[in-house]
Amino acid sequence: MKTRMIVVLTMLVLIGMVGCKKKAENLPGEEVAAAITTYAPLPTFKEVFRVLDQLQVKDISAAIPTTLYKTKQEEVRNAFSLGLLTADATLAAKGRNKARLGEISSQMMNLTTLIGLESEVNQMGADIKALIEKEKWDDLEQALDVHKKRVEDKLWDSESYDNYTLMLMGGWVEAANRVAWLLKQNYSAEKTTVLSQKGTFNSLIGNLKQIKAEHIVNQPEFKEALSLVEQVKAIIDSDKDKTYTQAQLDELIKLTEQVKATFQK
């Protein structure tokens, strides 16, 4: 009996050692582990778009920018633009604006190619285009969510943390801009609580400050955009019981417009 117990215990120890070895092999390398601990995944900007559920379709459609956001083709600007247009696409879907959504989604697909994402991501473009033609709005909103997550996951998994962060900056800047604009049209302090995204902007700025690539951080436009996003965060942090005044909404709109303009230089 004693001999059997020793054999069993020995086997358990060996199994444990193999399991630990496998776990160790699956752990990320030092560089990846360091990046994961310093770059924070951000929540979806759907949280700030909750207010859209309280608005009429025609009002949401009015918030879609009348001109398609474009910059020169360059890595930083492409990633930022893709995030921004993802927010605009969500607005267009909720606003049932077929023409604008078609134009925005086409540009989004071009940008995913320019920042080097795999073909399966671009396949979503064909699916979205088909849904636009059929005007399946609820399905479109879901498809846009899936596309956004798939792009973010691809950037994260490929360790493109800089582009991941720049894309999220574009999305959150545009979401804050358009929601602040909508709230101004029919002001209600209670509704402004959706803009109280302190943790998100804190993580966003933390991520932006982790970017070390010289071709990004040495750009005057990037430095200017970072400073402006810090000012946006200061307004977000200056709420009163998670609400914002009309003057604060005006300042948010102005600052986020300046961020967008910075990357168009």
Side-chain angles (χ1 to χ4, degrees):
M1 178 67 73
K2 186 175 180 180
T3 303
R4 286 182 182 178
M5 287 185 67
I6 291 172
V7 171
V8 170
L9 286 171
T10 303
M11 290 178 66
L12 288 172
V13 170
L14 289 172
I15 290 169
M17 289 175 65
V18 171
C20 289
K21 184 179 179 182
K22 285 185 177 179
K23 287 181 181 178
E25 289 173 350
N26 290 331
L27 288 174
E30 290 184 8
E31 290 185 9
V32 177
I36 290 174
T37 56
T38 54
Y39 281 81
L42 268 65
T44 172
F45 51 67
K46 279 188 69 176
E47 181 64 20
V48 78
F49 275 166
R50 284 188 298 110
V51 71
L52 300 180
D53 296 332
Q54 305 172 41
L55 302 175
Q56 295 184 16
V57 168
K58 63 181 181 63
D59 296 326
I60 299 172
S61 186
I64 307 167
T66 54
T67 57
L68 186 67
Y69 185 83
K70 289 184 178 180
T71 66
K72 63 182 179 182
Q73 291 184 1
E74 179 269 334
E75 182 182 359
V76 173
R77 290 162 175 77
N78 289 341
F80 177 85
S81 298
L82 180 56
L84 185 152
L85 290 172
T86 302
D88 284 345
T90 302
L91 271 178
K94 287 184 174 293
R96 308 293 194 257
N97 193 319
K98 183 176 178 179
R100 297 295 293 123
L101 182 54
E103 185 180 11
I104 293 166
S105 63
S106 292
Q107 181 66 0
M108 285 169 58
M109 296 312 127
N110 291 337
L111 289 168
T112 56
T113 302
L114 290 172
I115 60 176
L117 297 175
E118 287 87 342
S119 58
E120 60 259 40
V121 172
N122 291 326
Q123 176 58 40
M124 280 297 296
D127 298 337
I128 290 172
K129 185 176 180 180
L131 291 172
I132 292 172
E133 289 301 317
K134 296 175 182 177
E135 298 186 10
K136 293 189 174 182
W137 302 111
D138 292 337
D139 291 344
L140 264 168
E141 288 183 37
Q142 184 177 358
L144 287 168
D145 284 344
V146 171
H147 181 268
K148 176 177 178 293
K149 186 177 187 308
R150 192 172 293 178
V151 171
E152 290 174 4
D153 288 348
K154 287 288 181 182
L155 290 173
W156 185 270
D157 292 343
S158 64
E159 300 174 28
S160 297
Y161 303 115
D162 294 350
N163 284 338
Y164 170 87
T165 298
L166 291 164
M167 178 182 169
L168 290 175
M169 175 170 65
W172 273 100
V173 162
E174 182 71 341
N177 178 278
R178 294 292 79 201
V179 167
W181 184 89
L182 274 165
L183 291 170
K184 273 283 293 180
Q185 308 312 303
N186 187 17
Y187 178 76
S188 164
E190 183 182 357
K191 290 180 181 178
T192 65
T193 58
V194 296
L195 289 170
S196 183
Q197 302 290 333
K198 297 178 183 179
T200 296
F201 275 90
N202 186 57
S203 295
L204 175 59
I205 290 171
N207 284 4
L208 289 168
K209 289 184 175 180
Q210 291 299 326
I211 295 177
K212 299 294 187 284
E214 291 186 2
H215 72 282
I216 298 176
V217 298
N218 289 340
Q219 285 193 31
E221 295 82 2
F222 175 79
K223 295 177 182 178
E224 183 180 349
L226 175 56
S227 175
L228 289 166
V229 174
E230 289 178 321
Q231 294 175 59
V232 169
K233 181 183 179 296
I235 295 174
I236 297 293
D237 288 345
S238 64
D239 65 295
K240 182 179 180 181
D241 297 326
K242 296 186 177 181
T243 66
Y244 300 91
T245 65
Q246 295 190 62
Q248 287 173 313
L249 294 182
D250 285 334
E251 193 65 17
L252 278 174
I253 294 167
K254 183 182 79 171
L255 289 169
T256 48
E257 284 292 347
Q258 288 175 342
V259 176
K260 292 160 61 176
T262 295
F263 284 119
Q264 290 181 310
K265 293 180 179 179

